[in-house]
Amino acid sequence: GGLWWVSDLRIYLDYNATAPLRDEAREAMIAAMDMVGNPSSVHAEGRKARGIIERAREQVAALVGGAQDQIVFGASATELLNQVVRSDWEHIFVGATEHAAVLEPLVSFGLAYTLLDVGADGVVDDASLNAKLDQLISEKGVDPAKVLVVVQAANNETGVLQPIDAIGRLVRDKGARILCDAVQVAGRLPIDVAAWGVDYLVVSSHKMGGPKGAAALWCGCRRNLRALIKGGGQEQGYRGGTENVTALAGFAAAAEVSKAALETAPSMRLRMDDFEAAVQRRSGSTVIIAQTARRLVNTTLLAHPALAAERLLMTLDLRGFAVSSGAACSSGKVARSHVLEAMGVDAALSGGAIRISIGPNTTADELAKFTDAWVSAVERAAPASNEIRDGAQPSRQVA
Ligand code: PLP
């Protein structure tokens, strides 16, 4: 293509990587920025800063359905997920499609763990989890209270939802503990730590319109929890270091607005369903990964065997689209997605996978523009394989 491909108009479809800052978060941060006090100081200035943090604790607790004194703040979901998996465990069971923030510390710090298989739909096999827990606890005599299971609420690449309440019940029945990475569901689905039956749950500020660099761990049981950072006793000793008051002020505002906006979140799925139907009507050879699985309201992973995602990303970027191939955190590295590999997706297909993740303000018109760009990319890459006509049968494939 010529220069007409280059566009100044930006269309941001990468909310799973990070969401734009909400106005309410910006205002709260600007107000907090000029506060001089250290939250640990006893004077009026310190107490004012402390007040901001305790308000943030209240808002984040309300978002997850927990109590205020069960919240530990940190600088990222990655930090807090590392903290839980590096706590006092004898063995950890972990879903094969978990985020690197869970998988990498297991490998790098030499922890004892077992991967849990997922089906072609990306869902953890609970019968296999059941058998593995029984084997470890009954046959090998491991103390169940020292066994951790880590399962995400939703996958960042595919949007696939895990049946977290059912898995929570199963794990609890065995007396083991469960950590839920809820980073991608916050503000998109109601979170209820009690109904889900989880012991630990992590959310991240920047995925729901708060600033980057703030996250929260909800902790129902502290017995096994260890600190990664020791210092002045902040966060009840579970996370040393002077708190980032400004970021927490923004996080609180984002959590409050995200919770209030939950009822409008399902409307994103309607826009995504229309978008998926339009893509498949115009390109019968495009596959939507895990299309029949329960998925996040805002996420679609498109794939085509004739496309090379890394190169297509650059073309789409020039045309004004911010989208992602696989995990944004690993951009630059052309490794195969471990998520799609675990689901048994063909390597050719996973190499041509592009994630579209929208926000509450994404319009049907923006998605229509992306549809045009996708269809023309497919036409250029595979003129023969692509039946571009109305009424073409969409190819439905679970994985
Ligand atoms: N877990 C999931 C599912 C994610 O998508 C991400 C973000 O990429 C993380 C954890 C890490 O979050 P943070 O950027 O706050 O470290």
Side-chain angles (χ1 to χ4, degrees):
L3 269 179
W4 64 273
W5 278 79
V6 179
S7 170
D8 288 336
L9 179 75
R10 299 298 301 175
I11 296 180
Y12 189 79
L13 302 172
D14 204 10
Y15 277 71
N16 286 11
T18 195
L21 194 66
R22 289 183 185 269
D23 292 338
E24 295 85 350
R26 182 180 306 104
E27 281 160 26
M29 289 164 75
I30 288 170
M33 225 171 233
D34 283 325
M35 273 177 201
V36 62
N38 183 319
S40 296
S41 301
V42 294
H43 46 60
E45 288 83 350
R47 290 198 309 274
K48 213 166 162 193
R50 166 71 40 206
I52 290 183
I53 296 173
E54 294 319 315
R55 200 187 92 87
R57 220 180 288 288
E58 204 178 304
Q59 300 296 351
V60 173
L63 179 74
V64 303
Q68 206 174 317
D69 62 2
Q70 296 171 316
I71 299 291
V72 175
F73 287 123
S76 65
T78 300
E79 174 197 326
L80 298 170
L81 291 164
N82 267 255
Q83 179 172 356
V84 179
V85 302
R86 294 189 73 182
S87 290
D88 188 15
W89 309 111
E90 277 186 37
H91 201 87
I92 301 175
F93 290 100
V94 55
T97 61
E98 295 298 305
H99 193 270
V102 171
L103 296 175
E104 277 301 313
L106 296 176
V107 178
S108 297
F109 302 118
L111 305 174
Y113 73 97
T114 306
L115 281 184
L116 298 170
D117 296 335
V118 299
D121 57 0
V123 175
V124 167
D125 179 358
D126 52 359
S128 145
L129 170 60
N130 193 25
K132 284 176 166 151
L133 280 171
D134 277 346
Q135 196 189 21
L136 194 74
I137 296 164
S138 314
E139 293 172 27
K140 297 202 177 146
V142 172
D143 177 4
K146 291 283 186 74
V147 175
L148 179 71
V149 176
V150 192
V151 174
Q152 56 193 189
N155 183 266
N156 48 302
E157 293 183 38
T158 60
V160 167
L161 302 175
Q162 297 296 340
I164 193 74
D165 49 351
I167 296 173
R169 255 195 316 278
L170 192 163
V171 173
R172 286 227 144 165
D173 283 350
K174 309 282 180 199
R177 308 279 179 251
I178 176 165
L179 160 65
C180 176
D181 171 354
V183 166
Q184 291 293 348
V185 294
R188 297 173 183 156
L189 277 177
I191 298 174
D192 187 339
V193 287
W196 291 5
V198 296
D199 299 286
Y200 309 92
L201 181 135
V202 171
V203 292
S204 184
S205 157
H206 73 101
K207 307 278 184 181
M208 60 177 107
K212 298 164 184 69
L217 162 66
W218 172 84
C219 187
C221 168
R222 298 214 161 146
R223 205 176 320 138
N224 297 354
L225 189 67
R226 300 284 176 267
L228 284 182
I229 303 171
K230 279 290 187 185
Q234 290 90 349
E235 298 299 288
Q236 300 177 53
Y238 288 102
R239 209 279 188 171
T242 300
E243 301 88 339
N244 186 343
V245 180
T246 305
L248 292 178
F251 186 9
E256 184 176 19
V257 186
S258 297
K259 185 168 191 286
L262 270 176
E263 61 194 45
T264 63
S267 72
M268 283 192 271
R269 191 69 248 171
L270 301 180
R271 260 168 289 162
M272 291 306 258
D273 285 345
D274 287 348
F275 161 66
E276 291 180 3
V279 169
Q280 292 195 308
R281 201 162 51 236
R282 292 175 61 193
S283 167
S285 51
T286 292
V287 172
I288 291 164
I289 305 289
Q291 188 169 22
T292 57
R294 282 177 62 241
R295 283 178 297 153
L296 271 178
V297 291
N298 78 318
T299 308
T300 295
L301 187 61
L302 296 179
H304 194 288
L307 293 175
E310 299 297 326
R311 216 179 46 183
L312 180 56
L313 269 192
M314 289 186 262
T315 309
L316 290 168
D317 183 34
L318 288 175
R319 288 203 69 183
F321 300 99
V323 290
S324 160
S325 71
C329 324
S330 62
S331 83
K333 96 176 181 220
V334 195
R336 192 176 166 206
S337 156
H338 73 281
V339 173
L340 299 185
E341 199 162 0
M343 292 164 67
V345 175
D346 188 65
L349 200 55
S350 66
I354 295 282
R355 177 186 70 192
I356 294 90
S357 54
I358 67 169
N361 298 326
T362 304
T363 64
D365 181 57
E366 289 175 309
L367 289 169
K369 288 195 170 83
F370 181 83
T371 306
D372 290 342
W374 175 267
V375 170
S376 75
V378 171
E379 274 181 314
R380 285 146 57 97
S385 77
N386 188 41
E387 325 86 73
I388 312 278
R389 57 184 157 86
D390 275 340
Q393 273 301 324
S395 69
R396 280 192 164 264
Q397 193 172 327
V398 171

